[in-house]
Amino acid sequence: MSRKRNHYCIIMDRSGSMLSLRDVAVNGYNENIQQIKLDAEANPDIDYDISLLSFNKNVFEHMWCAKPSELEEATYESYTPNGGTALYDAMGYAIDKYAAMEDYSDENTNWLYVIISDGNSNEDQHYGQRESSWSSYTVPTAAMRERLETCEKHPRITITYIGANKASAERLAKDAHVSVSNVAATDWTNKEAAANAMRGTRRALRSYSKNVAAGASVKAAFYANSEVQQDLRSNTTEAVDFASVAIDNSDLETLVKCSDQAAP
């Protein structure tokens, strides 16, 4: 019997609209990797690895399947937002690369995608397309929808998303076949709310790791844990029904030592 393994993939928006959030972005990323390191230490019988992608109109791979001990905290200088938003290209790149790995069918392996963005996708070149001739947003291509539907049916793949508002979170959940209990909406301009979101997401990571260790399902409810919601409810700026969409008031971002070389 193979060892349990957790693959974590952080997919971070680095489009121009994120420029004013650089400090909160770095803090949010560092909060996440601190928790992942603690989880790895607490569960020595589980193998952890972390991949980091960022995206504007291109996709950038900064690390792939790195061990927690190899992670370094981000700095303000390492996060340089600019350009448009190609969210589905980043998701498709990660999904395809994971699907090609030998342990993709291993029943003891889990995949967690943590996606952070402050807006809707609008400049996809490979995995997204304009919803209509007049739309400013992109939606998954037919081929990408097939990939997302496969992920939706896979019992050990969990896709989570933090968006700019309730509408963007609901849109992503619908278009990308993501459980509404795995999405969150955020007020990116509220620093106090951002701190609550960082704490809430960190707790969500901790809960996910504990559930994997216990053999419990981790398919959905990433943001539905009562402790996490307590943090996320603090300082919320929209009255949203948590039964349908979890609200995360966050300035959650990520970045680590960018190579700034676009992924192929």
Side-chain angles (χ1 to χ4, degrees):
M1 182 177 179
S2 62
R3 286 168 56 89
K4 289 183 179 180
R5 175 182 289 270
N6 288 344
H7 291 297
Y8 289 176
C9 185
I10 299 173
I11 301 177
M12 180 62 211
D13 189 343
R14 60 181 290 184
S15 62
S17 58
M18 300 291 290
L19 185 60
S20 63
L21 304 170
R22 292 174 74 183
D23 57 335
V24 187
V26 168
N27 290 337
Y29 173 78
N30 291 341
E31 285 277 329
N32 286 339
I33 65 168
Q34 288 165 14
Q35 186 59 52
I36 293 170
K37 286 183 175 182
L38 289 173
D39 291 340
E41 292 174 1
N43 299 286
D45 294 334
I46 301 176
D47 293 328
Y48 289 75
D49 63 52
I50 299 88
S51 301
L52 173 62
L53 305 179
S54 67
F55 64 92
N56 45 33
K57 70 175 183 178
N58 297 307
V59 179
F60 302 85
E61 180 185 312
H62 306 287
M63 67 175 69
W64 193 261
C65 292
K67 301 305 178 188
S69 60
E70 300 171 353
L71 298 178
E72 297 183 21
E73 293 195 357
T75 64
Y76 184 84
E77 292 75 19
S78 64
Y79 187 57
T80 54
N82 61 81
T85 306
L87 169 60
Y88 291 116
D89 282 355
M91 293 177 67
Y93 177 87
I95 290 169
D96 282 356
K97 192 159 184 176
Y98 273 141
M101 293 176 62
E102 292 182 358
D103 61 357
Y104 188 72
S105 300
D106 188 339
E107 63 180 13
N108 291 308
T109 301
N110 298 280
W111 291 264
L112 174 64
Y113 296 82
V114 179
I115 303 168
I116 303 114
S117 178
D118 72 336
N120 294 299
S121 198
N122 58 26
E123 279 205 49
D124 297 286
Q125 303 172 63
H126 306 287
Y127 296 89
Q129 62 189 12
R130 296 288 174 186
E131 188 172 23
S132 64
S133 59
W134 50 264
S135 176
S136 59
Y137 305 130
T138 52
V139 296
T141 62
M144 182 59 177
R145 287 187 184 278
E146 290 182 6
R147 290 169 169 83
L148 292 167
E149 289 171 0
T150 298
C151 289
E152 182 184 29
K153 295 173 183 176
H154 195 297
R156 296 177 304 282
I157 292 179
T158 306
I159 299 178
T160 74
Y161 171 79
I162 299 171
N165 50 51
K166 178 176 180 285
S168 69
E170 290 179 329
R171 180 185 181 90
L172 189 285
K174 174 179 176 292
D175 290 345
H177 297 268
V178 176
S179 167
V180 292
S181 64
N182 289 342
V183 301
T186 168
D187 174 9
W188 294 82
T189 64
N190 185 324
K191 294 295 181 72
E192 187 176 0
N196 286 330
M198 291 178 202
R199 184 167 58 248
T201 301
R202 182 169 182 165
R203 285 190 176 188
L205 286 168
R206 184 175 63 196
S207 295
Y208 177 93
S209 184
K210 286 182 176 179
N211 286 336
V212 169
S217 173
V218 290
K219 180 65 180 175
F222 186 77
Y223 286 116
N225 177 279
S226 60
E227 282 191 349
V228 174
Q229 285 196 8
Q230 183 177 359
D231 286 328
L232 301 184
R233 285 177 185 270
S234 302
N235 302 310
T236 54
T237 57
E238 295 180 65
V240 179
D241 181 4
F242 272 73
S244 58
V245 177
I247 284 209
D248 172 351
N249 290 348
S250 118
D251 271 41
L252 245 300
E253 285 100 291
T254 50
L255 183 84
V256 137
K257 297 203 172 250
C258 292
S259 64
D260 274 353
Q261 186 170 4

